[in-house]
Amino acid sequence: MGKDASSAHWRTQEMFLLQEVMNLIGKGIHLDQVAREMLHLLSEIIGLNRGRIVLRDPDGDGYRIAHSYGLTREEVARGRYAPGEGITGRVIGDGHLIIVQDIDKDPTFLARAVERARLPRGAVSFLALPIRVDNRTVGALACHRIRHRERALSDDLAILRIIATMVGQLLTLNARVEQKTRALEEHNGMLARELRIKRARYGIIGTSPALLRALAQVEKVADATASVLLLGESGSGKELFARALHLASPRRDRPFIKVNCAAIPESLFESELFGHERGAFTGAVEARAGWFEQASGGTIFLDEIGEMPAILQTKLLRTLQEGTVVRLGGKREIRIDMRLVAATNRHLGAEVAHGRFREDLFYRLNVIPITLPPLAERRGDIPDLVLHFLTRANQDNQRNVNLTPGAVAHLARQPWPGNIRQLANFIERLVLLSGEGMLDVEDLRPMLEGAAATGLLPPERIDRPPAQGPAGIIRPYLPADSHGRDQLSSALAQAGGNKTRAAQRLGLTERQFSYRWRKLQTASGY
């Protein structure tokens, strides 16, 4: 190959090398991968072998081989240098290029990382260049070079200078990305803390996207005065969201009145909501302000508003339109200033279509509809909810019941058609009916079976072990000899000697199991 042809060949190789390096950088691959591939390409394309990038040791005062190609793990581990030590240390300390023409003839060459016996025979050169960031030398790029070869040393140095510059730029970018990442992490941590504080203030547990979207809607409309209609399945936390709306609003320091429309007898509805004057009906010995008056300045929450009688729907509409109430038996209009939050698990549009709910009242209430997600759409929140309800039930009942991670995960897989209310009630029953200690999946199954038997959980979602006897939350009457020795012994063995768990497997209380066990032991003469 002639001189011109050889030069053209090497220029082509250099251009290919630089193109490949730029492609790597453009892909945004991690620094370690890019640096290793750079050194790999230097070796395979240009022939500069055992390349290494030496940077400050994060665990010490000196420098170490941070990235390399062609070195073993042991060689990399040996590549540690104090400032000014050997060729590499001097390059970093002085910030100047050093060329060792023959490593066998230079007494300052340490041969620390790679033993001489592992290098080719004959003259081997060592090239080391400084890596700079912001005009500071932060490390070195070094490699071995076979001295006798077709390619000119000046060409090798030129490409090495380009690569060293690129490494410096990569280090700069990497440092900036890490700085921004740390800043983002700190900011996200701050937002997460604020969110936890906010959720704790509202009493709402969970971080699922569906829950946070609903909570964001609440906060977005908190400062408004328009009515809010909370929609969702029974037990999905509508009261908590109504209270969150109140707490996030400027009315937070004023009254929050909760009214369950389904729990008020129809004959008392008007008196309870709008108040009454003295003598308005038998027993009205004195005037009484209704719930709307008591909520003036604050928020009133009308739960299950679909249960409101039709005649009172008209009066409620007038109250919302005019901002006044007239007490039962009275004539005077009393001005009120309250925010109405209504909730229903009914489809009010269908109720309107069937003539059971006033269409104009529906539109008045439906100014800001917020749909709360069922628990099935927030399965990721179930473990936090379980631990929250478990802690509360233990504190309220002075118990010490805990659940294994497997048990918590098993609860998260259940459908919970009754949503959060059903989950909370289940955990409370679990604490009350279980012995203290750590409960696993097997300990939950009797209660889940009982929930399925009463229709609270679909039976196909319960993992059933081989039946050991009747089980349920509401236990039928059982005679004292309902279980024989074999049943009791088998259940006790499967429960690892734990009588509480054995009782749960048989659908008994711990007291019932212990009584039957003692009776059998006594009958056997033990």
Side-chain angles (χ1 to χ4, degrees):
M1 183 182 296
K3 184 175 180 181
D4 292 341
S6 176
S7 177
H9 166 74
W10 285 116
R11 292 290 177 268
T12 301
Q13 295 294 84
E14 288 175 0
M15 293 303 297
F16 178 73
L17 168 65
L18 295 178
Q19 183 179 354
E20 289 298 299
V21 170
M22 292 304 295
N23 286 338
L24 288 171
I25 296 173
K27 291 179 181 178
I29 302 175
H30 190 271
L31 173 64
D32 184 63
Q33 294 175 276
V34 175
R36 188 178 186 279
E37 192 61 24
M38 277 183 175
L39 300 172
H40 172 210
L41 292 171
L42 275 175
S43 176
E44 296 297 322
I45 297 176
I46 304 299
L48 299 173
N49 302 316
R50 294 179 177 81
R52 78 285 308 265
I53 294 172
V54 179
L55 301 172
R56 180 170 291 280
D57 187 351
D59 301 322
D61 296 332
Y63 295 82
R64 66 174 177 83
I65 296 177
H67 312 285
S68 66
Y69 179 77
L71 302 182
T72 66
R73 290 184 179 180
E74 292 76 13
E75 290 170 341
V76 170
R78 290 197 298 267
R80 295 179 179 274
Y81 309 93
E85 182 184 21
I87 302 298
T88 302
R90 282 167 51 198
V91 168
I92 296 173
D94 298 340
H96 298 301
L97 157 72
I98 294 181
I99 302 172
V100 177
Q101 295 283 3
D102 188 340
I103 59 175
D104 295 324
K105 295 180 180 179
D106 191 325
T108 62
F109 184 76
L110 299 177
R112 176 172 293 169
V114 184
E115 297 175 354
R116 182 63 181 90
R118 297 195 67 247
L119 297 174
R121 293 182 179 179
V124 175
S125 301
F126 183 74
L127 311 178
L129 294 84
I131 297 173
R132 292 188 175 89
V133 171
D134 295 333
N135 296 319
R136 294 181 300 105
T137 301
V138 298
L141 169 65
C143 60
H144 287 286
R145 179 181 187 271
I146 299 174
R147 186 173 175 185
H148 300 293
R149 47 183 270 162
E150 298 177 5
R151 182 173 162 84
L153 174 62
S154 59
D155 291 341
D156 286 347
L157 291 177
I159 202 71
L160 285 174
R161 285 192 176 97
I162 294 173
I163 296 298
T165 300
M166 287 183 170
V167 171
Q169 292 173 343
L170 275 174
L171 290 172
T172 301
L173 290 173
N174 195 62
R176 289 175 180 172
V177 168
E178 287 183 355
Q179 184 179 12
K180 289 184 177 180
T181 301
R182 284 194 300 270
L184 285 173
E185 287 174 349
E186 291 175 1
H187 183 63
N188 289 341
M190 180 186 68
L191 291 177
R193 286 192 297 272
E194 290 179 357
L195 186 59
R196 285 195 297 271
I197 292 170
K198 192 172 292 182
R199 289 201 316 272
R201 180 164 67 106
Y202 299 153
I204 296 173
I205 305 297
T207 57
S208 65
L211 178 73
L212 295 182
R213 280 195 298 270
L215 189 58
Q217 285 182 288
V218 164
E219 293 180 329
K220 189 177 293 184
V221 302
D223 291 341
T225 59
S227 300
V228 175
L229 182 61
L230 299 177
L231 306 169
E233 297 177 8
S234 179
S236 55
K238 290 188 280 291
E239 182 184 339
L240 274 179
F241 270 80
R243 193 176 294 274
L245 186 63
H246 174 71
L247 292 173
S249 75
R251 301 170 181 264
R252 66 180 66 88
D253 297 323
R254 305 305 297 273
F256 176 79
I257 303 296
K258 179 185 69 172
V259 181
N260 187 345
C261 297
I264 302 176
E266 186 169 345
S267 60
L268 298 178
F269 229 116
E270 185 173 7
S271 173
E272 289 293 313
L273 287 178
F274 299 96
H276 61 260
E277 297 291 355
R278 179 180 178 183
F281 52 85
T282 303
V285 296
E286 59 182 13
R288 175 188 173 275
W291 292 123
F292 284 120
E293 283 185 70
Q294 295 181 43
S296 189
T299 304
I300 186 167
F301 172 49
L302 298 183
D303 197 8
E304 302 297 349
I305 197 168
E307 303 291 336
M308 180 176 286
I311 191 171
L312 291 182
Q313 293 177 23
T314 303
K315 193 167 183 178
L316 173 59
L317 178 62
R318 182 184 175 192
T319 295
L320 294 177
Q321 289 175 337
E322 299 182 7
T324 61
V325 295
V326 177
R327 292 179 181 175
L328 181 63
K331 296 180 180 179
R332 180 173 58 95
E333 289 187 342
I334 302 172
R335 182 156 295 280
I336 57 171
D337 171 28
M338 53 83 192
R339 174 82 174 278
L340 174 65
V341 181
T344 181
N345 60 355
R346 292 188 178 188
H347 192 301
L348 286 187
E351 296 292 299
V352 169
H354 288 91
R356 292 189 290 266
F357 201 85
R358 289 186 61 107
E359 184 176 18
D360 46 5
L361 178 58
F362 170 64
Y363 290 132
R364 185 78 186 194
L365 295 174
N366 201 39
V367 176
I368 305 174
I370 298 176
T371 301
L372 307 190
L375 199 51
E377 293 180 9
R378 356 170 356 199
R379 292 197 178 278
D381 292 338
I382 292 179
D384 287 342
L385 287 166
V386 166
L387 296 178
H388 169 73
F389 293 136
L390 189 65
T391 300
R392 189 173 70 184
N394 277 326
Q395 290 174 346
D396 292 346
N397 298 284
Q398 297 183 339
R399 304 295 294 272
N400 185 25
V401 177
N402 293 290
L403 297 174
T404 64
V408 174
H410 187 68
L411 290 177
R413 291 192 293 270
Q414 303 308 315
W416 304 114
N419 293 297
I420 300 171
R421 184 183 297 118
Q422 182 191 5
L423 177 62
N425 291 342
F426 178 87
I427 296 298
E428 186 171 15
R429 286 195 300 273
L430 185 70
V431 168
L432 291 173
L433 298 178
S434 302
E436 296 191 356
M438 187 71 70
L439 305 183
D440 205 350
V441 176
E442 293 298 323
D443 304 308
L444 302 179
R445 284 198 170 104
M447 283 195 138
L448 292 172
E449 291 281 358
T454 56
L456 295 177
L457 287 177
E460 64 272 12
R461 293 301 301 271
I462 309 300
D463 301 327
R464 289 184 175 83
Q468 299 292 330
I473 298 173
I474 301 176
R475 297 180 174 86
Y477 168 76
L478 295 173
D481 59 353
S482 61
H483 294 76
R485 173 182 295 280
D486 291 343
Q487 284 180 294
L488 296 176
S489 299
S490 175
L492 192 61
Q494 291 180 13
N498 187 310
K499 291 183 179 179
T500 300
R501 296 184 183 181
Q504 290 173 344
R505 296 184 69 83
L506 297 175
L508 300 171
T509 65
E510 184 180 5
R511 186 188 300 273
Q512 288 173 327
F513 182 92
S514 297
Y515 173 76
R516 286 160 175 74
W517 184 254
R518 285 196 306 270
K519 187 176 179 182
L520 287 172
Q521 297 294 90
T522 302
S524 301
Y526 293 115

